[in-house]
């Protein structure tokens, strides 16, 4: 099991940027593919972005392609989500998650370990 802690959320105006961070501890970070999911009030949790265990592959939801960038620093057990050109519809609680499958899967079911989430609010 790996423990995950998100940070970096906050309130930002539309068009602004935020950088989320996910700190991992426990089992070796490099074993895990990592992802970001988000959940808006009254909606299901949805996939945002994922990165393979090696960092060589990424996957993005269509709604964030070209605006968000996922990356990882395995030496420091951290993963990041750079969010640019934010829109009000990006508002929600953002969760990082870890999967032993190693690939950048989009299914929440494939991720066993989850953080507590960080709130992102984008005002119009």
């Amino acid at each position: 099991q790996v423990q995950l802690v998100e940070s970096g959320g906050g309130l930002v105006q539309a068009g602004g940027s935020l950088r989320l961070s996910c700190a991992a501890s426990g089992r070796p970070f490099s074993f895990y593919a990592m992802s970001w999911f988000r959940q808006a009030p009254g909606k299901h949790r949805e996939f945002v972005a994922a990165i393979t265990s090696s960092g060589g592959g990424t996957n993005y939801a269509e709604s964030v392609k070209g605006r968000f960038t996922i990356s990882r620093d395995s030496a420091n057990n951290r993963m990041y989500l750079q969010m640019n050109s934010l829109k009000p519809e990006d508002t929600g609680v953002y969760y990082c998650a870890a999967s032993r499958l190693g690939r950048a899967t989009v299914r929440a079911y494939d991720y066993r370990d989850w953080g507590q989430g960080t709130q992102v609010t984008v005002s119009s």
Side-chain angles (χ1 to χ4, degrees), residues 47-121:
F47 170 77
V48 176
I51 189 166
T52 59
S53 56
S54 68
T58 57
N59 201 350
Y60 294 93
E62 285 297 324
S63 60
V64 307
K65 278 184 180 178
R67 300 188 298 123
F68 291 11
T69 302
I70 189 171
S71 63
R72 64 189 296 159
D73 178 358
S74 290
N76 291 298
N77 294 347
R78 285 189 175 268
M79 176 184 64
Y80 303 98
L81 185 69
Q82 179 66 43
M83 306 187 294
N84 298 328
S85 302
L86 283 161
K87 305 175 181 180
E89 50 264 43
D90 294 318
T91 294
V93 178
Y94 282 68
Y95 299 90
C96 68
S99 170
R100 284 298 306 269
L101 294 178
R103 60 182 185 269
T105 174
V106 305
R107 302 189 309 171
Y109 177 81
D110 291 331
Y111 295 88
R112 173 183 175 181
D113 299 307
W114 294 79
Q116 294 300 306
T118 185
Q119 176 70 45
V120 171
T121 304

